Amino acid sequence: MSAVATPPPVADPFESLNDEQRAAVCHGADGDTRALLVIAGAGSGKTMTLAARVAHLIQRGADPTRLLLLTFSRRAAGEMTQRAGRIVHQALGLPATTRPPALPWAGTFHAIGARLLRDYADAIALPTDFTVLDRADAEDLMAIVRQAQGLAATKLRFPQKGTCVAIYSRVVNSQGTVAGVLRDAFPWCLGWETELQQLFATYAQAKAQQHSLDFDDLLLYWQALMEAPELASHVAGRFDHVLVDEYQDTNRLQAAILHGLQPDGRGLTVVGDDAQSIYAFRAAEVRNILDFPQQFAQPARVIALERNYRSTQPILEASNAVIAEAPERFAKTLWSDRSSSARPRIVTVPDEAAQARQVADRVLAWREEGIRLKQQAVLFRTAHHSAAVELELTRRRIPFVKFGGLKFLESTHVKDVLAILRWAENPRSRLAGFRVAQLVPGIGPANARRLLDAMEASPTPAATLAAHAMPAAASEDWSAFVALYDRLRASPGWPADLEAVNAWYVPLLQRLHEDAPARQADLAQLTQIAGGYANRERFLTELTLDPPAASSDEAGPPHLDEDYMILSTIHSAKGQEWGAVQILNVVDGCIPSEMSTGDAKQIAEERRLLYVGMTRAKQHLELLVPQRFFVTEQARLGDRHVYASLSRFITDKAGAFFERVAAQRAPGADAAAGPDGVPNVRIDLAARVRDRWTR
């Protein structure tokens, strides 16, 4: 009788984890039911740790459909799902052809909120056909309401539509008051508290009438849902485990949602780093993570990940020294086994022009040392700080890409197509209808308003649209649109709907835009994206919440260079890493910003911002310190300049971890020169002038 072959042992899928990562991944295996807070230092393998925890839960029998994974981008959710799937494959010894378990509830806070609100719409008196307004649409609706209330014609300056939406958003997400938000974040708007309160009430009413929610409503309604005892337990009961990435970036509304989902903390895991909380301007609240351990009857378990896999030890020592002087934080000391004799440098330069030259010189020098341009970055506090550097890089023919620009969904033609789909999905969307009706040749604003007024007053708005009489000049084109609209309402096939819309819209596109072929490429991309969604509603909601970033409508010349470097604000650089990093203007007034020194809380965030910038570097880090700034904004005052001092965050104690150097002179310059480039000589020029009169 032949022996039965023993299957090969399954390799430990968590073998590569260090002790702290493994403790976080396996939390609860010993019966510990406490909430878990993982303080994940910069470059400490946060994503891998969270993905491994998801895989470990599934390996131990957790139902993947009852895991809620909340992130701040769809890309992060997708990456987490893929990594967890690979680990589960390895842990269970599954064949390569077997699909990893899906995580249907992995997504952003806003996307998950939209799905839950759709599920519970009937129970919370929310129209099931509600559509989601993007930021531009929210501003347009706010402008309409602002105009209707006479606030555009006030004798004193009333906030513009974008500012009004920003104030509204901050009030909602911070769970604050209009007066408090104006005092803390919009002091120039003080005195308009009553008018803004009334404006926001009317804005909310207008959204309700149009069956629309904006981004902030998705969280606001979700949080209200978790406060309704009749439904909160049912929502919470759908999930056995809730895991949150980048917890330091959550606002008070999101923290309240999580508390409603897991009021006792059982099954709750949050991962983040208080030292990287830098988004207060988006209402992120650092106290969420600082106070997390004590928010439950049984205090949460805290595990710190301190081993850094990104930077050299000298860079970490300097970064640790900067953040160590923060007034309140979770204590941790980042360390690495990547030793180096090169310390980070503080480079003093005479002025911003010299700073730009120094940046270009170092970029080229590092390139010759084998660090590709794509592995180099110049970071700065505010976008306009890089102006001189951009000019110098262009002059020296050093290609670069600067983070920023319009988003895909802000392109005119893409917004047109999406508006057609939104109006078909929700006939009461006045914003979408007003935009789409005017696409039809011969229909202007007045006719569009009459149509929308009739639809708003009708119990069957779609039927009213079909029967509405338009001017004779527009009748043929209007009939063609009505046929399209009826098709979209009657047979919502997907993505055939989008193909039908494109077929109707492309002739208009060719009439409206000279660069129609480039814009048609965007519509083709949109159609390709649409194929990844189950239906029209899901497509419209998720694309609005997490849009693509590029569009031919705003693309510059293609980068044909072999390589290019990165210019970025520090905020945009979070989560990135480069071999060599230079940080501009590390002086008081820039870091910290002079606009953010009003109180200790703002200064503490500015310190964290510098820390985030420093920890992006893997091998080389340089902080540039211009001694003189020219002030040119106020032209009538002439070319004034101010002298700057090294940032207050580089104290004597922290400065001991840096090498201090002055920028090297350009070839041919006098080697014996002072800090402002003036030769170190003594000439009695006054005597020469006096002698002129005695000759």
Side-chain angles (χ1 to χ4, degrees):
M1 182 175 178
S2 60
V4 178
T6 303
V10 177
D12 180 3
F14 310 114
E15 183 180 6
S16 63
L17 302 177
N18 61 43
D19 292 344
E20 290 76 19
Q21 290 173 330
R22 182 179 287 270
V25 166
C26 300
H27 170 72
D30 58 355
D32 189 346
T33 61
R34 290 177 295 170
L36 174 64
L37 168 61
V38 181
I39 300 297
S44 63
K46 169 183 67 68
T47 302
M48 174 55 73
T49 302
L50 188 55
R53 175 149 180 76
V54 171
H56 184 263
L57 291 172
I58 295 173
Q59 182 189 27
R60 295 186 63 239
D63 183 350
T65 66
R66 294 178 60 79
L67 294 181
L68 175 59
L69 177 59
L70 295 165
T71 67
F72 278 83
S73 73
R74 189 172 58 197
R75 179 189 58 79
E79 181 181 355
M80 207 79 70
T81 300
Q82 290 177 358
R83 286 198 184 194
R86 288 197 296 267
I87 298 172
V88 170
H89 248 285
Q90 185 178 351
L92 301 181
L94 300 175
T97 54
T98 303
R99 280 192 170 189
L103 297 175
W105 289 98
T108 66
F109 272 92
H110 293 87
I112 297 298
R115 286 182 60 189
L116 288 172
L117 293 179
R118 198 81 65 180
D119 288 350
Y120 291 91
D122 287 335
I124 59 177
L126 189 66
T128 56
D129 64 347
F130 74 83
T131 50
V132 181
L133 304 177
D134 62 20
R135 182 63 177 238
D137 287 339
E139 289 185 3
D140 288 344
L141 181 57
M142 185 71 77
I144 293 171
V145 176
R146 181 177 176 272
Q147 180 81 27
Q149 291 197 273
L151 296 172
T154 55
K155 292 183 179 179
L156 299 176
R157 181 182 60 146
F158 189 78
Q160 294 283 357
K161 62 179 183 178
T163 304
C164 291
V165 170
I167 295 170
Y168 172 86
S169 180
R170 180 69 70 92
V171 171
V172 170
N173 288 291
S174 68
Q175 295 189 316
T177 63
V178 173
V181 166
L182 294 186
R183 181 187 65 248
D184 296 339
F186 300 88
W188 62 92
C189 300
L190 285 169
W192 293 110
E193 292 91 333
T194 301
E195 290 81 359
L196 285 167
Q197 192 84 32
Q198 294 171 347
L199 174 66
F200 296 158
T202 309
Y203 171 65
Q205 183 180 5
K207 287 185 292 184
Q209 289 174 343
Q210 298 184 31
H211 295 187
S212 298
L213 302 180
D214 62 23
F215 278 16
D216 304 310
D217 290 332
L218 297 175
L219 300 183
L220 185 63
Y221 276 67
W222 186 5
Q223 191 263 339
L225 176 62
M226 301 314 299
E227 288 185 339
E230 304 88 343
L231 294 172
S233 59
H234 188 272
V235 177
R238 299 175 68 165
F239 308 109
D240 297 326
H241 296 273
V242 178
L243 304 99
V244 186
D245 191 17
E246 304 284 10
Y247 189 65
Q248 78 280 347
D249 294 335
T250 56
N251 57 46
R252 289 179 178 173
L253 198 57
Q254 290 163 326
I257 289 169
L258 292 175
H259 195 270
L261 285 169
Q262 306 284 9
D264 61 359
R266 292 171 64 95
L268 178 59
T269 298
V270 301
V271 180
D273 183 6
D274 56 296
Q276 298 187 68
S277 178
I278 59 173
Y279 293 118
F281 66 93
R282 296 180 187 166
E285 177 53 69
V286 69
R287 295 238 60 92
N288 286 352
I289 191 168
L290 291 174
D291 297 339
F292 182 84
Q294 307 306 322
Q295 289 179 346
F296 309 99
Q298 190 177 15
R301 181 184 182 187
V302 181
I303 298 174
L305 307 183
E306 297 181 299
R307 181 176 182 180
N308 178 285
Y309 295 90
R310 173 187 300 156
S311 307
T312 62
Q313 187 62 26
I315 290 175
L316 295 179
E317 288 172 350
S319 302
N320 287 334
V322 168
I323 202 63
E325 299 188 40
E328 187 176 8
R329 69 188 185 99
F330 285 106
K332 66 178 181 301
T333 302
L334 297 183
W335 65 274
S336 170
D337 55 11
R338 299 186 63 203
S339 60
S340 173
S341 60
R343 291 191 295 167
R345 306 200 315 168
I346 294 174
V347 183
T348 302
V349 294
D351 52 34
E352 290 178 283
Q355 176 177 247
R357 291 194 296 272
Q358 170 67 13
V359 166
D361 288 344
R362 292 301 286 160
V363 165
L364 293 177
W366 280 328
R367 179 173 176 269
E368 292 305 310
E369 293 174 11
I371 303 177
R372 298 185 63 199
L373 294 182
K374 288 182 181 178
Q375 272 299 305
Q376 300 188 44
V378 175
L379 308 182
F380 31 87
R381 172 64 178 83
T382 306
H384 67 79
H385 285 175
S386 67
V389 171
E390 293 176 48
L391 291 173
E392 183 67 13
L393 293 176
T394 301
R395 188 181 71 82
R396 305 273 285 271
R397 298 184 179 180
I398 301 173
F400 64 88
V401 172
K402 185 176 180 180
F403 287 173
L406 293 174
K407 301 299 183 184
F408 183 81
L409 298 189
E410 293 172 1
S411 307
T412 301
H413 50 297
V414 175
K415 286 184 70 70
D416 287 344
V417 169
L418 293 180
I420 297 169
L421 294 172
R422 285 196 184 101
W423 202 20
E425 187 73 17
N426 175 12
R428 296 197 181 277
S429 176
R430 195 174 181 97
L431 281 175
F434 190 67
R435 184 184 191 100
V436 173
Q438 293 180 84
L439 291 174
V440 178
I443 296 180
N447 284 313
R449 287 193 187 94
R450 280 193 286 271
L451 167 66
L452 295 171
D453 288 343
M455 293 177 68
E456 187 173 322
S458 171
T460 55
T464 301
L465 179 147
H468 190 80
M470 283 294 183
S475 60
E476 184 176 345
D477 291 310
W478 179 248
S479 296
F481 173 75
V482 169
L484 170 68
Y485 192 84
D486 286 344
R487 173 182 171 178
L488 296 177
R489 292 286 297 171
S491 56
W494 189 255
D497 283 0
L498 184 53
E499 294 169 359
V501 170
N502 285 341
W504 178 84
Y505 178 73
V506 165
L508 297 178
L509 179 72
Q510 294 168 341
R511 177 176 61 85
L512 294 170
H513 300 285
E514 293 181 2
D515 57 345
R519 294 173 186 261
Q520 281 182 248
D522 280 346
L523 299 185
Q525 181 185 358
L526 194 66
T527 304
Q528 186 175 4
I529 293 171
Y533 295 86
N535 53 54
R536 184 172 67 199
E537 174 270 312
R538 195 71 171 268
F539 169 76
L540 289 171
T541 300
E542 296 200 14
L543 194 66
T544 302
L545 295 176
D546 194 8
S551 166
S552 60
D553 192 24
E554 45 84 27
H559 291 283
L560 301 179
D561 300 274
E562 59 176 346
D563 207 359
Y564 54 85
M565 61 174 300
I566 303 298
L567 271 59
S568 173
T569 63
I570 300 176
H571 285 104
S572 296
K574 187 170 174 291
Q576 305 296 316
E577 60 181 40
W578 295 275
V581 170
Q582 299 182 74
I583 303 180
L584 304 182
N585 301 335
V586 186
V587 297
D588 255 49
C590 293
I591 302 177
S593 166
E594 62 181 352
M595 301 300 292
S596 301
T597 55
D599 57 44
K601 185 177 179 181
Q602 291 178 324
I603 293 173
E605 176 153 327
E606 292 289 305
R607 179 188 299 277
R608 296 192 294 267
L609 191 65
L610 176 59
Y611 173 80
V612 166
M614 292 172 62
T615 53
R616 301 308 95 197
K618 295 194 289 187
Q619 299 163 263
H620 301 282
L621 171 65
E622 296 194 353
L623 311 186
L624 288 105
V625 183
Q627 295 180 311
R628 183 170 57 189
F629 283 91
F630 284 92
V631 181
T632 58
E633 287 84 351
Q634 303 177 51
R636 66 179 184 278
L637 298 179
D639 257 351
R640 299 188 299 110
H641 66 263
V642 296
Y643 287 94
S645 59
L646 179 63
S647 170
R648 68 188 71 180
F649 303 139
I650 309 297
T651 61
D652 290 342
K653 188 174 181 180
F657 294 95
F658 291 86
E659 177 187 356
R660 294 177 184 254
V661 298
Q664 295 189 3
R665 303 294 299 146
D670 190 335
D676 288 336
V678 179
N680 288 326
V681 297
R682 295 283 294 175
I683 302 173
D684 192 349
L685 196 61
R688 294 185 184 181
V689 172
R690 289 193 304 270
D691 289 346
R692 292 178 60 184
W693 304 103
T694 59
R695 291 175 185 170

